[in-house]
Amino acid sequence: MPLVSALHATRSIERFDMFWQAYDWCVTRANYPDMEYIIGADADDVQMIAALQREIETGNRIKCPTKLVIGPKDQGNNGCWNNCYDSSTGKIVIQMSDDFECPPDWVHRIGGKINGAGGVDAPLVVGVGDPHWTVGGSCVDKGAPPPYSGDGLMSIYIATRAYLEKVGG
């Protein structure tokens, strides 16, 4: 499988431990060597930025290539995810958050679904709202607009770069 980009928007030093729990869950349970982890923060979140920079520089908690992208102040999670996307290079792009937990080998499971539906160069979205991540009209979108699953909402965005480039990132 190709490079996977995990895009993690975070906010507030009060969530620092929660951020690292999600990071550990994501990277350790991915069991996948070709992952980049990109963290997005608002420029006005000075304490969180300083703490994240310190951890990245020391490398004590870092388990894969990890970088911090600092955007304008008060842009919120969507702006942070967009900035992370602009700095990413993976063929599979996965949106992360501080409360994210993932099952063992989750990246391989996602890759299997994408490969079974056309591969990483096809414009595909995986709808995680479906508890089984089955390939079909409600779970893997081949370039058509939503719905993705039951309620039509996606709790976390997982897509190929080809899809994101098609719809405008």
Side-chain angles (χ1 to χ4, degrees):
M1 257 182 26
L3 182 66
V4 170
S5 297
L7 315 180
H8 190 142
T10 190
R11 176 98 185 148
S12 179
I13 194 68
E14 287 81 24
R15 296 175 67 96
F16 186 70
D17 290 335
M18 191 178 208
F19 166 84
W20 284 109
Q21 178 66 36
Y23 177 93
D24 288 340
W25 273 83
C26 169
V27 178
T28 303
R29 288 189 160 206
N31 191 25
Y32 187 73
D34 295 322
M35 177 183 279
E36 65 178 355
Y37 207 94
I38 303 170
I39 307 161
D42 289 343
D44 59 331
D45 198 0
V46 231
Q47 289 181 307
M48 185 63 149
I49 289 169
L52 289 168
Q53 286 174 327
R54 191 171 42 256
E55 292 295 334
I56 291 169
E57 287 170 12
T58 63
N60 294 333
R61 295 184 179 188
I62 304 303
K63 299 178 178 176
C64 70
T66 301
K67 66 180 166 183
L68 176 61
V69 177
I70 302 167
K73 69 179 208 162
D74 294 326
Q75 67 178 347
N77 283 348
N78 289 335
C80 286
W81 281 313
N82 289 338
N83 293 335
C84 289
Y85 173 74
D86 291 343
S87 296
S88 70
T89 59
K91 287 202 170 214
I92 298 173
V93 180
I94 303 171
Q95 183 184 42
M96 308 296 291
S97 64
D98 292 341
D99 60 353
F100 192 78
E101 293 181 20
C102 46
D105 295 321
W106 65 282
V107 170
H108 294 281
R109 292 173 60 194
I110 290 168
K113 296 300 176 187
I114 289 173
N115 286 334
V120 295
D121 293 321
L124 299 169
V125 171
V126 177
V128 198
D130 182 330
H132 305 290
W133 294 0
T134 55
V135 176
S138 68
C139 250
V140 176
D141 168 50
K142 296 184 179 178
Y148 303 104
S149 62
D151 58 9
L153 299 174
M154 292 183 67
S155 58
I156 212 81
Y157 208 89
I158 300 172
T160 59
R161 183 165 299 280
Y163 178 85
L164 295 170
E165 287 174 357
K166 182 177 181 177
V167 298

